[in-house]
Amino acid sequence: MTREDDVLHVVGGKPLGGEIKVRGAKNLVSKAMVAALLAPGTSVLKNVPEIRDVQVVSDLLRLHGVDTTVDGKKGIVTIDASHVEMPAVSDVETLSGSSRIPILFSGPLLHRLGEAFIPSLGGCRIGDRPIDYHLETLRKLGAEVDKEHEDGIHITAPHGLKGTKIHLPYPSVGATEQTLLAAVLAEGKTELSGAAIEPEIMDLIAILQKMGAIISVDVDRTIRIEGVKQLKGYTHTALTDRIEAASWAAAALATRGDIFVKGATQPEMMTFLNVYRKIGGEFNVTDEGIRFWHPGGDLKPVAIETDVHPGFMTDWQQPLVVALTQAKGLSIVHETVYENRFGFTEPLVKMGATVQLYRECLGSLPCRFEQHNFEHSAVIFGQTPLEGRDIDVPDLRGGFSHLIAALTATGESNVRGISLIDRGYADFRGKLTALGADFN
Ligand code: EPU
């Protein structure tokens, strides 16, 4: 049953307008906090957003005896990992299912303690999201993985971790981070081919380099890591959350609004900005951030395919689809990263959108989901007026997209399960107020 404070009552149909600030990327900050575990010293991370994923990782660090202080207002996390200990399995299990980050503790814990217990993973329900690449990477580096435990995985490295050659069948963000965090202190060299090269990964590499690691990235997605004997703490300012920035940009477009996203940066958003422009959205890049607005008139349809960086991010897809319901004509979205990321369109259809899902690949990118029966392509026909409805939030990005839909729709909506959005959108209620949204 949904708690009363977990529902947002939205009166839509008003353009969002004003200024909001976006801090560091959720998908970097959590990994940067794990990296601090590699060094027996103090690390300071700045520009940290007040989101639940930060709390989950802080709790997990503390359970391992690591002194972790979070100053939410200032956005500073201080981690002193001088002391690390193995927590009781029952304590770790309490965090079971709350995030996918725990699996990334494996490498650092193997280096510091020789063993790790990883609780069953959570994260958004957007496809199977297996961890086979993670476990294969750890095994190749010399770890022994015991999956017999009911509530998690026990990993040991009786002979330490040793550098090796690893190839990823798909440029997985998490498996690339797993390799980086495990290989930096492994003995000898590690060569990772088929790696992901997302800006958040580059920022993690920058942090590891500050800590004393030796890592090079080649043009052909090969990352080479020369293991070092020890690392030291870091001080780092996290790069901006380009997913949150794009989500607010999509909200500006869908509601015919005008939002200045303070902190948004252009280089990491270039692919998004090109699409935004093709749809007819306007933006202006300044030193402080990016202003996004609907210039009036009709929006244009587009054909997009999600992909790994530097392609169009899968996490941008969901909020943008809501904006595409307001474009005049047929838009096509081919999702090639997750097999099941269009479930969120069902409530949109109930609100009045015309979205048809297809199992076929409606695009030309090589796609792992071809011939697999997954509804991973969508055709959106606009412009359709949306009407307020009661909606249940399915996952983080889908949930924010529903919020945008409720704000775009005429009439009233109850968006239920809203706390899921706190996982990745800091103070979104405060930001909605700043933008003049009508909700309670
Ligand atoms: N995959 C496997 N086996 C694995 C790992 C991944 O088959 O061992 C598959 C996944 O099932 C998926 C694809 O590879 O189909 C890509 O997964 P990836 O490992 O790249 O994703 P992730 O590391 O689990 C991160 C972000 C996601 C973001 C993806 C893609 C974090 C905490 N999460 O997930 O962010 O969508 O990369 O960019 O960094 C979000 O922020 O809402 C979110 C879901």
Side-chain angles (χ1 to χ4, degrees):
M1 215 165 69
T2 315
R3 290 194 332 264
E4 214 172 283
D5 60 355
D6 208 15
V7 181
L8 215 63
H9 175 76
V10 178
V11 184
K14 301 185 182 80
L16 294 183
E19 176 181 314
I20 49 135
K21 164 120 180 83
V22 172
R23 281 191 190 165
K26 158 181 143 334
N27 292 347
L28 173 271
V29 162
S30 43
K31 289 69 176 279
M33 292 172 71
V34 180
L37 199 53
L38 287 162
T42 301
S43 294
V44 180
L45 186 62
K46 301 179 189 170
N47 201 27
V48 178
E50 287 186 278
I51 52 173
R52 207 166 71 243
D53 268 22
V54 168
Q55 280 168 27
V56 171
V57 184
S58 313
D59 288 348
L60 209 50
L61 285 169
R62 289 190 195 108
L63 275 183
H64 287 88
V66 176
D67 191 359
T68 309
T69 319
V70 180
D71 185 333
K73 287 281 156 293
K74 288 192 183 143
I76 298 176
V77 173
T78 309
I79 300 165
D80 178 357
S82 305
H83 172 76
V84 181
E85 65 190 29
M86 196 61 191
V89 165
S90 54
D91 287 340
V92 186
E93 280 169 2
T94 58
L95 290 172
S96 202
S98 44
S99 153
R100 277 177 71 79
I101 305 301
I103 187 72
L104 295 177
F105 274 62
S106 309
L109 286 179
L110 289 175
H111 287 300
R112 296 297 299 274
L113 300 173
E115 62 174 325
F117 176 75
I118 310 302
S120 304
L121 300 178
C124 289
R125 294 186 301 269
I126 43 176
D128 269 354
R129 300 193 76 185
I131 52 165
D132 49 340
Y133 305 161
H134 291 252
L135 299 183
E136 190 53 25
T137 289
L138 290 166
R139 284 195 189 101
K140 283 216 161 129
L141 287 162
E144 288 179 10
V145 179
D146 171 10
K147 291 167 81 178
E148 294 306 306
H149 205 287
E150 203 175 283
D151 296 299
I153 303 170
H154 195 231
I155 307 176
T156 50
H159 311 294
L161 297 182
K162 293 196 174 54
T164 187
K165 283 193 180 190
I166 300 168
H167 177 74
L168 293 180
Y170 183 77
S172 150
V173 168
T176 300
E177 292 159 344
Q178 182 73 262
T179 311
L180 287 166
L181 292 166
V184 276
L185 285 176
E187 192 191 318
K189 295 181 185 173
T190 299
E191 184 185 287
L192 176 69
S193 53
I197 50 164
E198 266 59 10
E200 292 76 17
I201 291 176
M202 293 303 140
D203 214 29
L204 179 63
I205 291 176
I207 290 173
L208 293 168
Q209 188 178 52
K210 284 179 176 175
M211 296 175 82
I214 301 171
I215 303 168
S216 62
V217 184
D218 238 317
V219 281
D220 64 351
R221 290 189 179 274
T222 302
I223 298 183
R224 290 186 177 80
I225 306 144
E226 292 184 34
V228 295
K229 290 221 157 23
Q230 61 190 34
L231 295 171
K232 56 182 191 293
Y234 66 83
T235 298
H236 190 77
T237 302
L239 89 168
T240 304
D241 198 313
R242 63 195 171 118
I243 307 176
E244 187 184 349
S247 302
W248 290 113
L253 212 50
T255 65
R256 302 181 81 85
D258 186 339
I259 303 179
F260 183 69
V261 183
K262 214 171 160 193
T265 46
Q266 184 181 20
E268 297 79 20
M269 295 191 72
M270 282 193 163
T271 309
F272 177 83
L273 294 174
N274 283 334
V275 171
Y276 204 76
R277 179 162 283 157
K278 280 194 208 173
I279 298 174
E282 294 276 1
F283 60 88
N284 183 34
V285 181
T286 74
D287 289 346
E288 279 75 44
I290 306 179
R291 177 185 161 207
F292 296 94
W293 75 97
H294 189 306
D298 289 336
L299 296 177
K300 294 186 278 287
V302 278
I304 46 176
E305 298 184 79
T306 65
D307 202 356
V308 294
H309 189 75
F312 190 90
M313 284 189 97
T314 169
D315 304 282
W316 290 332
Q317 176 261 106
Q318 287 157 302
L320 201 74
V321 161
V322 181
L324 290 177
T325 67
Q326 303 308 304
K328 207 166 187 174
L330 273 187
S331 293
I332 301 172
V333 183
H334 180 209
E335 168 64 60
T336 77
V337 180
Y338 292 114
E339 68 273 30
N340 184 20
R341 219 177 192 182
F342 280 124
F344 79 103
T345 58
E346 207 182 301
L348 298 186
V349 170
K350 288 188 178 142
M351 293 172 87
T354 306
V355 182
Q356 182 73 46
L357 301 185
Y358 291 88
R359 296 175 204 279
E360 291 77 16
C361 295
L362 298 185
S364 57
L365 281 181
C367 172
R368 293 165 299 149
F369 312 133
E370 201 185 3
Q371 314 290 348
H372 273 86
N373 253 344
F374 298 119
E375 291 188 319
H376 70 290
S377 294
V379 173
I380 303 123
F381 177 72
Q383 175 184 8
T384 46
L386 301 181
E387 271 176 43
R389 294 278 301 208
D390 287 359
I391 315 167
D392 288 306
V393 164
D395 61 66
L396 176 61
R397 307 298 167 196
F400 194 82
S401 308
H402 289 160
L403 203 52
I404 299 177
L407 291 157
T408 307
T410 49
E412 300 177 18
S413 299
N414 289 306
V415 188
R416 294 187 294 237
I418 207 81
S419 57
L420 250 183
I421 297 179
D422 291 315
R423 266 197 58 212
Y425 291 88
D427 187 29
F428 70 89
R429 295 170 190 80
K431 289 174 189 171
L432 286 176
T433 303
L435 297 173
D438 188 350
F439 71 97
N440 57 56

